[in-house]
Amino acid sequence: GLLLSIVIGVSVGVVIGYVRWIRWLFEPLFEFIRAVPSTILIPVLLLLIGINDAMKITLIVFSCVWPILLNTVAGVTSIDEVQQNTAKVIGLKGLDRMRYLVLPAASPQIMAGIRQSLAVALILMVVSEMFASTDGIGHWTINFQNRVAIPEMWSGVLLLGIIGVALSAVFQMIQKRTLAWYEGLKENKND
C-alpha cells in the first residue's frame, strides 16, 4: 500500500505542482479529502470490498497518498527561480527537466511526505487488522485484550513498537543515501 501511495503521490504531485491551473483546481479538494479521518472509511470499505487484503491496501493507499502528494506539490512549487532560469538557459526540457531539476529539487519534501506516510501505513495496517482480519498483529493484540491476556496483549504492542523503530531506521538509511547531496548543502550553509 505504501509503495503504491509513493508512485501515485509523486506522479500526481509532480503534475499538479508543475501545472498551475490543475493545482488551482484540485488543491482545495485534496486538502478536504486529506482531512477526512481514514479510520472512518473502514466500514465503507468493508461493505464495498469485503474483508480481505485489498480492503487493507485500499485504506493504506487512500490515507498515505495525501502527505506524499501534498509534499511533492510543495516541493515542485518551491523550486528556486535561479535554478528554473538556469534550466531554461541550458535548454533542459521535458523528461530531462524532470530528471535533473524538478525531482532532485523536490526530493527533500517528497522524502518528508514518505516518512509521514510510513507511520500512517503502520498504524492503519494494525487498525485494519483489528477490525477486519483473522490474522496479524492487530488481530492478535485485540484478541488478547478481549481474553484479558494482558502480557500477550502488551507483547503485541511491544512488537509494533519494535517494527516501527526498525522501519524508521531503514527509512533514515535510505533517506541519507538518497539525499546525501542535500545534507552536504545544508552543512555548507551552516559553515
Side-chain angles (χ1 to χ4, degrees), residues 31 41 44 69 73 96 98 113 115 124 132 144 166-167 191:
E31 289 290 345
L41 297 175
V44 175
L69 186 143
V73 170
D96 284 340
M98 273 305 145
R115 185 171 187 146
L124 288 173
F144 289 137
L167 286 173
D191 289 343

Side-chain angles (χ1 to χ4, degrees), residues 104-188:
S107 60
Q109 287 184 278
I110 292 170
M111 293 301 274
I114 293 171
R115 185 171 187 146
Q116 291 171 352
S117 292
L118 181 65
V120 170
L122 183 62
I123 291 166
L124 288 173
M125 178 195 73
V126 173
V127 169
S128 67
E129 287 175 352
M130 287 178 165
F131 286 101
S133 185
T134 57
D135 203 12
I137 298 169
H139 169 75
W140 289 109
T141 302
I142 202 79
N143 191 20
F144 289 137
Q145 178 190 2
N146 291 337
R147 292 189 311 181
V148 193
I150 303 303
E152 289 86 353
M153 180 195 73
W154 280 107
S155 69
V157 172
L158 182 63
L159 180 60
L160 286 170
I162 292 169
I163 291 170
V165 168
L167 286 173
S168 181
V170 168
F171 182 80
Q172 284 178 352
M173 288 186 330
I174 293 169
Q175 184 175 358
K176 277 188 180 181
R177 196 171 187 87
T178 306
L179 297 179
W181 62 271
Y182 180 71
E183 295 300 324
L185 286 176
K186 284 189 348 189
E187 286 176 14
N188 287 340

Side-chain angles (χ1 to χ4, degrees), residues 10-12 24 33 38 47 54 57 59 66 70 84 92 102 104 107 117 121 130 148 156 162 180:
V10 172
S11 303
V12 174
W24 178 83
I33 293 171
S38 303
L47 287 172
I57 292 170
L59 180 66
W66 304 114
L70 295 173
Q84 298 260 20
L92 275 182
V102 175
S107 60
S117 292
M130 287 178 165
V148 193
I162 292 169

